[in-house]
Amino acid sequence: MSCVVSLQIQAQTGFKPVSDMAAVKQQFAKAAQNTQSIHCDFVQEKNLSMLSDKIVSKGEFWFQKDNKVRMEYKQPSRYLLVINGKDIRIRDAQKESKVSGKSNKLFEQINKITIDCVRGTVLDNADFTTKATENAQYYRLEMTPVNKVMKEYFQTIVLLVDKQDYSVSKITMAESSGDDTTISFLHKQLNTTIPDAVFSLK
Protein backbone atom coordinates (compact mmCIF):
# COMPACT_ATOMS: atom_id res chain seq x y z
CA MET A 1 0.00 0.00 0.00
CA SER A 2 2.79 2.42 0.93
CA CYS A 3 4.42 1.63 -2.42
CA VAL A 4 1.22 2.60 -4.25
CA VAL A 5 0.90 5.81 -2.23
CA SER A 6 4.50 6.80 -2.94
CA LEU A 7 3.98 6.14 -6.65
CA GLN A 8 0.85 8.31 -6.60
CA ILE A 9 2.77 11.10 -4.86
CA GLN A 10 5.55 10.81 -7.43
CA ALA A 11 3.01 10.97 -10.24
CA GLN A 12 1.50 14.12 -8.77
CA THR A 13 4.77 15.87 -8.00
CA GLY A 14 6.67 14.84 -11.14
CA PHE A 15 5.10 17.69 -13.14
CA LYS A 16 7.01 20.82 -14.13
CA PRO A 17 5.71 23.99 -15.84
CA VAL A 18 5.31 23.81 -19.63
CA SER A 19 7.94 26.03 -21.22
CA ASP A 20 6.45 26.41 -24.71
CA MET A 21 2.69 26.73 -24.47
CA ALA A 22 2.27 27.80 -28.12
CA ALA A 23 3.88 24.54 -29.30
CA VAL A 24 1.56 22.49 -27.07
CA LYS A 25 -1.51 24.30 -28.46
CA GLN A 26 -0.29 23.66 -31.98
CA GLN A 27 0.28 19.94 -31.35
CA PHE A 28 -3.04 19.63 -29.54
CA ALA A 29 -4.92 21.21 -32.46
CA LYS A 30 -3.03 19.11 -35.02
CA ALA A 31 -3.79 15.84 -33.21
CA ALA A 32 -7.45 16.84 -32.80
CA GLN A 33 -7.75 17.53 -36.54
CA ASN A 34 -6.69 13.95 -37.18
CA THR A 35 -9.16 12.55 -34.64
CA GLN A 36 -12.48 11.81 -36.28
CA SER A 37 -13.82 9.51 -33.57
CA ILE A 38 -13.01 8.06 -30.15
CA HIS A 39 -14.40 4.91 -28.55
CA CYS A 40 -13.26 3.79 -25.11
CA ASP A 41 -14.24 2.49 -21.70
CA PHE A 42 -14.41 4.79 -18.70
CA VAL A 43 -14.33 4.55 -14.93
CA GLN A 44 -15.90 7.35 -12.91
CA GLU A 45 -15.07 7.87 -9.22
CA LYS A 46 -17.17 10.30 -7.24
CA ASN A 47 -16.10 11.48 -3.79
CA LEU A 48 -18.99 12.93 -1.79
CA SER A 49 -18.03 14.93 1.28
CA MET A 50 -20.84 13.29 3.28
CA LEU A 51 -19.74 9.72 2.42
CA SER A 52 -16.50 7.94 3.29
CA ASP A 53 -16.63 5.54 0.33
CA LYS A 54 -16.21 6.50 -3.30
CA ILE A 55 -19.07 5.89 -5.73
CA VAL A 56 -17.52 4.01 -8.67
CA SER A 57 -19.32 3.75 -12.02
CA LYS A 58 -18.18 2.10 -15.26
CA GLY A 59 -19.29 2.37 -18.84
CA GLU A 60 -18.51 3.21 -22.47
CA PHE A 61 -17.73 6.53 -24.18
CA TRP A 62 -18.07 7.46 -27.87
CA PHE A 63 -17.20 10.71 -29.65
CA GLN A 64 -17.62 11.62 -33.29
CA LYS A 65 -16.83 14.89 -35.04
CA ASP A 66 -18.15 17.46 -34.81
CA ASN A 67 -20.46 17.46 -31.89
CA LYS A 68 -21.60 13.95 -31.00
CA VAL A 69 -20.97 12.35 -27.60
CA ARG A 70 -22.44 9.27 -25.94
CA MET A 71 -21.66 8.29 -22.35
CA GLU A 72 -23.30 5.04 -21.36
CA TYR A 73 -23.04 4.07 -17.69
CA LYS A 74 -23.43 0.31 -17.24
CA GLN A 75 -22.40 -0.35 -13.60
CA PRO A 76 -23.66 -0.16 -10.90
CA SER A 77 -26.79 1.21 -12.63
CA ARG A 78 -27.66 2.13 -16.19
CA TYR A 79 -27.61 5.78 -17.21
CA LEU A 80 -27.20 7.33 -20.63
CA LEU A 81 -26.13 10.80 -21.80
CA VAL A 82 -26.22 11.55 -25.53
CA ILE A 83 -25.15 14.86 -27.06
CA ASN A 84 -25.95 15.28 -30.75
CA GLY A 85 -25.36 18.84 -31.90
CA LYS A 86 -27.59 21.06 -29.74
CA ASP A 87 -29.65 18.08 -28.52
CA ILE A 88 -28.83 16.64 -25.11
CA ARG A 89 -30.75 13.55 -24.03
CA ILE A 90 -30.58 11.73 -20.73
CA ARG A 91 -32.07 8.34 -19.95
CA ASP A 92 -32.08 6.48 -16.65
CA ALA A 93 -33.90 3.30 -15.69
CA GLN A 94 -37.20 5.18 -15.21
CA LYS A 95 -37.45 7.82 -17.90
CA GLU A 96 -35.91 9.70 -20.79
CA SER A 97 -35.61 13.48 -20.78
CA LYS A 98 -34.50 15.96 -23.39
CA VAL A 99 -32.37 18.88 -22.22
CA SER A 100 -31.70 21.95 -24.29
CA GLY A 101 -28.03 22.91 -24.00
CA LYS A 102 -28.97 26.55 -24.44
CA SER A 103 -31.49 26.55 -21.61
CA ASN A 104 -29.27 24.70 -19.17
CA LYS A 105 -26.06 26.67 -18.68
CA LEU A 106 -24.24 23.94 -16.77
CA PHE A 107 -24.92 21.31 -19.45
CA GLU A 108 -23.89 23.83 -22.09
CA GLN A 109 -20.55 24.39 -20.33
CA ILE A 110 -19.82 20.70 -19.68
CA ASN A 111 -20.74 19.97 -23.29
CA LYS A 112 -18.34 22.73 -24.40
CA ILE A 113 -15.45 21.34 -22.29
CA THR A 114 -16.04 17.80 -23.58
CA ILE A 115 -16.08 18.95 -27.19
CA ASP A 116 -13.14 21.34 -26.65
CA CYS A 117 -11.08 18.46 -25.24
CA VAL A 118 -11.55 16.28 -28.29
CA ARG A 119 -11.28 19.20 -30.71
CA GLY A 120 -8.02 20.30 -29.12
CA THR A 121 -9.31 23.82 -28.45
CA VAL A 122 -9.67 23.47 -24.68
CA LEU A 123 -6.65 25.73 -24.07
CA ASP A 124 -8.51 28.58 -25.81
CA ASN A 125 -11.59 28.40 -23.55
CA ALA A 126 -12.10 31.95 -22.27
CA ASP A 127 -14.29 30.72 -19.37
CA PHE A 128 -11.15 29.44 -17.59
CA THR A 129 -7.60 30.38 -16.76
CA THR A 130 -5.36 27.39 -17.46
CA LYS A 131 -2.10 26.41 -15.78
CA ALA A 132 -0.16 23.77 -17.75
CA THR A 133 2.47 21.40 -16.37
CA GLU A 134 4.05 18.25 -17.81
CA ASN A 135 5.97 15.08 -17.05
CA ALA A 136 7.35 12.43 -19.42
CA GLN A 137 3.94 10.91 -20.14
CA TYR A 138 1.29 13.59 -19.62
CA TYR A 139 0.35 17.24 -19.86
CA ARG A 140 -1.65 18.36 -16.82
CA LEU A 141 -4.04 21.25 -17.49
CA GLU A 142 -5.48 22.85 -14.36
CA MET A 143 -8.45 24.99 -15.35
CA THR A 144 -9.87 27.53 -12.90
CA PRO A 145 -13.24 29.04 -13.86
CA VAL A 146 -13.59 32.79 -14.39
CA ASN A 147 -17.09 32.37 -15.81
CA LYS A 148 -19.71 33.16 -13.12
CA VAL A 149 -21.91 30.13 -13.86
CA MET A 150 -18.99 27.71 -13.76
CA LYS A 151 -17.64 29.23 -10.52
CA GLU A 152 -20.89 28.29 -8.80
CA TYR A 153 -20.29 24.62 -9.63
CA PHE A 154 -16.56 24.06 -9.97
CA GLN A 155 -13.41 25.11 -8.14
CA THR A 156 -11.12 23.52 -10.71
CA ILE A 157 -11.21 21.10 -13.62
CA VAL A 158 -7.96 19.18 -14.18
CA LEU A 159 -7.26 17.37 -17.46
CA LEU A 160 -4.54 14.78 -17.91
CA VAL A 161 -3.59 14.67 -21.60
CA ASP A 162 -1.60 11.75 -23.01
CA LYS A 163 1.50 13.01 -24.86
CA GLN A 164 1.39 10.07 -27.26
CA ASP A 165 -1.85 11.01 -29.03
CA TYR A 166 -3.00 14.19 -27.20
CA SER A 167 -6.18 12.47 -26.07
CA VAL A 168 -7.61 13.12 -22.60
CA SER A 169 -6.82 10.24 -20.22
CA LYS A 170 -8.41 11.67 -17.10
CA ILE A 171 -10.71 14.54 -16.06
CA THR A 172 -11.03 15.58 -12.41
CA MET A 173 -13.79 18.06 -11.52
CA ALA A 174 -13.56 19.58 -8.05
CA GLU A 175 -16.93 21.08 -7.12
CA SER A 176 -17.47 24.13 -4.95
CA SER A 177 -19.44 21.90 -2.54
CA GLY A 178 -16.27 19.92 -1.68
CA ASP A 179 -17.29 16.89 -3.77
CA ASP A 180 -15.15 15.78 -6.69
CA THR A 181 -15.53 13.52 -9.71
CA THR A 182 -12.75 11.80 -11.67
CA ILE A 183 -13.35 10.13 -15.04
CA SER A 184 -10.56 7.93 -16.45
CA PHE A 185 -10.70 6.94 -20.13
CA LEU A 186 -9.30 3.45 -20.86
CA HIS A 187 -8.63 1.23 -23.90
CA LYS A 188 -9.00 4.14 -26.32
CA GLN A 189 -9.61 3.41 -29.99
CA LEU A 190 -9.20 6.38 -32.33
CA ASN A 191 -10.79 6.81 -35.76
CA THR A 192 -12.87 3.65 -35.79
CA THR A 193 -16.22 3.69 -37.62
CA ILE A 194 -19.13 4.46 -35.28
CA PRO A 195 -22.71 3.84 -36.53
CA ASP A 196 -25.02 6.90 -36.49
CA ALA A 197 -27.47 4.92 -34.34
CA VAL A 198 -25.05 5.23 -31.39
CA PHE A 199 -25.90 8.94 -31.12
CA SER A 200 -29.68 8.59 -31.35
CA LEU A 201 -32.06 7.59 -28.59
CA LYS A 202 -34.82 5.45 -30.01
Side-chain angles (χ1 to χ4, degrees):
M1 181 69 186
S2 61
C3 178
V4 173
V5 171
S6 68
L7 280 172
Q8 286 175 338
I9 290 167
Q10 274 183 333
Q12 290 300 315
T13 55
F15 286 86
K16 63 183 196 305
V18 170
S19 53
D20 190 349
M21 204 54 199
V24 175
K25 279 189 181 186
Q26 203 175 4
Q27 287 298 323
F28 213 148
K30 186 179 171 185
Q33 275 178 356
N34 296 327
T35 304
Q36 302 301 315
S37 69
I38 298 170
H39 179 207
C40 63
D41 298 323
F42 71 86
V43 177
Q44 176 179 297
E45 296 177 307
K46 194 165 180 66
N47 285 306
L48 298 174
S49 47
M50 63 184 83
L51 296 175
S52 56
D53 292 336
K54 287 179 183 175
I55 300 169
V56 179
S57 309
K58 295 180 180 180
E60 267 185 280
F61 174 89
W62 292 262
F63 161 81
Q64 187 169 293
K65 270 190 173 174
D66 263 320
N67 200 350
K68 294 178 180 177
V69 174
R70 179 186 179 106
M71 270 188 105
E72 186 172 344
Y73 292 79
K74 295 181 176 180
Q75 301 171 14
S77 54
R78 299 190 79 84
Y79 181 86
L80 185 61
L81 167 69
V82 176
I83 299 166
N84 192 335
K86 298 289 182 193
D87 264 357
I88 300 173
R89 290 176 182 269
I90 294 166
R91 181 194 284 162
D92 59 22
Q94 280 75 43
K95 64 181 193 310
E96 178 190 329
S97 55
K98 185 176 175 181
V99 182
S100 161
K102 289 265 184 192
S103 65
N104 186 315
K105 284 290 182 191
L106 180 62
F107 265 114
E108 191 181 346
Q109 290 291 346
I110 291 173
N111 180 16
K112 189 170 189 288
I113 291 164
T114 307
I115 302 299
D116 279 353
C117 284
V118 281
R119 274 187 184 160
T121 53
V122 72
L123 292 165
D124 300 318
N125 192 327
D127 294 329
F128 296 87
T129 56
T130 303
K131 180 180 155 193
T133 53
E134 65 180 319
N135 66 11
Q137 193 176 358
Y138 296 110
Y139 289 109
R140 183 180 184 274
L141 309 177
E142 186 175 326
M143 303 168 67
T144 305
V146 291
N147 172 297
K148 189 183 172 188
V149 175
M150 292 302 272
K151 272 184 177 178
E152 288 176 18
Y153 293 98
F154 300 115
Q155 281 186 323
T156 57
I157 295 173
V158 177
L159 306 177
L160 217 53
V161 177
D162 195 321
K163 282 187 167 182
Q164 211 168 12
D165 57 13
Y166 285 80
S167 66
V168 176
S169 291
K170 189 179 285 189
I171 300 177
T172 302
M173 294 172 279
E175 298 170 33
S176 302
S177 61
D179 301 343
D180 66 73
T181 304
T182 297
I183 303 173
S184 301
F185 298 99
L186 313 165
H187 318 125
K188 283 176 281 192
Q189 299 171 44
L190 303 185
N191 298 330
T192 56
T193 302
I194 300 174
D196 287 341
V198 167
F199 303 104
S200 65
L201 275 183
K202 295 273 171 90

